[in-house]
Amino acid sequence: MKKSKRKIINKIREVTDYDYVDDPRRKKAPKNAKFKIVFYKPKPGEHSNIPIKFQGVQYYTNKSEADLALKYKLELIERLKLKKSKDMIGNNRNPNLKNIGVRFGKDNRYTINQKKEFNKKVKIAKKYLKSGHTKMETQRIINKKFKLNRNENSGTGRYVRVASDLLDK
């Protein structure tokens, strides 16, 4: 049976003689330290929103200081998680957002409706392209039908290109 690793991160522990040993690979404990907490430490070059005072091994002179530091660190982690999750709702920073089916958070219904509308446009575009209309004529007809505000100088819409590709196959 495999032994599980003991969890030492975010736990308040007493300082031992081993912490005072001069070892170049580790941080040496100050003489007045009584308690320590091992916090997660990001890899070199990795960016973190957690302050340096809450990274790696930190030593404290009394238990109340260590309790306060641990409490603050855990609250900070929760606040950052909440901020990140709120930041993802309605995320419009994704470069593929203009394409169909790419939405985050509460916009799922909108994505489904957007995909249905796109498929309708492709179906109509195929019909007009088969009947001999050019891509630009087809696009103008669809723009009027769906009341789209596309610039006349813009290139062909994605729905027209998809319809053309489907007809070429």
Side-chain angles (χ1 to χ4, degrees):
M1 191 158 104
K2 190 176 179 182
K3 234 181 181 182
S4 63
K5 267 189 157 180
R6 88 182 165 138
K7 300 202 186 272
I8 60 169
I9 292 182
N10 294 340
K11 302 275 185 211
I12 298 173
R13 296 183 298 152
E14 288 188 17
V15 175
T16 62
D17 292 338
Y18 181 70
D19 292 306
Y20 295 110
V21 174
D22 196 17
D23 186 351
R25 296 172 293 169
R26 295 185 301 109
K27 180 179 177 181
K28 187 177 177 183
K31 291 190 189 306
N32 62 348
K34 302 286 182 213
F35 295 94
K36 71 177 179 179
I37 303 175
V38 179
F39 294 116
Y40 171 78
K41 186 172 184 177
K43 294 178 181 119
E46 192 177 286
H47 176 71
S48 175
N49 290 331
I50 307 291
I52 291 176
K53 66 180 182 178
F54 297 122
Q55 294 179 11
V57 180
Q58 299 295 326
Y59 295 97
Y60 300 96
T61 53
N62 56 39
K63 180 99 164 123
S64 61
E65 253 182 55
D67 284 331
L68 194 62
L70 183 60
K71 180 183 171 198
Y72 185 75
K73 165 75 185 274
L74 296 176
E75 285 174 4
L76 180 64
I77 290 171
E78 287 303 313
R79 276 188 282 160
L80 289 173
K81 281 182 185 176
L82 183 64
K83 181 182 176 190
K84 187 175 182 179
S85 67
K86 282 183 180 177
D87 196 30
M88 290 304 290
I89 294 174
N91 184 349
N92 60 3
R93 294 171 293 160
N94 189 328
N96 295 320
L97 189 64
K98 295 175 186 105
N99 299 341
I100 60 165
V102 182
R103 292 281 177 180
F104 297 101
K106 297 177 180 177
D107 292 336
N108 191 30
R109 278 191 311 249
Y110 180 76
T111 304
I112 293 167
N113 293 338
Q114 189 182 27
K115 190 169 186 172
K116 285 178 184 176
E117 188 174 310
F118 179 82
N119 290 337
K120 282 181 191 175
K121 290 177 194 174
V122 170
K123 189 176 178 181
I124 294 169
K126 278 173 46 178
K127 183 179 89 175
Y128 282 108
L129 289 172
K130 272 185 188 175
S131 66
H133 291 295
T134 65
K135 289 181 181 179
M136 285 309 288
E137 289 172 344
T138 304
Q139 181 171 319
R140 284 190 195 108
I141 293 167
I142 293 171
N143 287 347
K144 285 180 184 171
K145 197 173 248 183
F146 284 90
K147 297 176 183 162
L148 300 175
N149 295 326
R150 282 184 66 95
N151 188 347
E152 288 292 321
N153 297 328
S154 65
T156 55
R158 185 167 180 266
Y159 48 90
V160 177
R161 285 180 280 147
V162 169
S164 176
D165 289 345
L166 290 172
L167 289 176
D168 290 342
K169 288 183 181 177

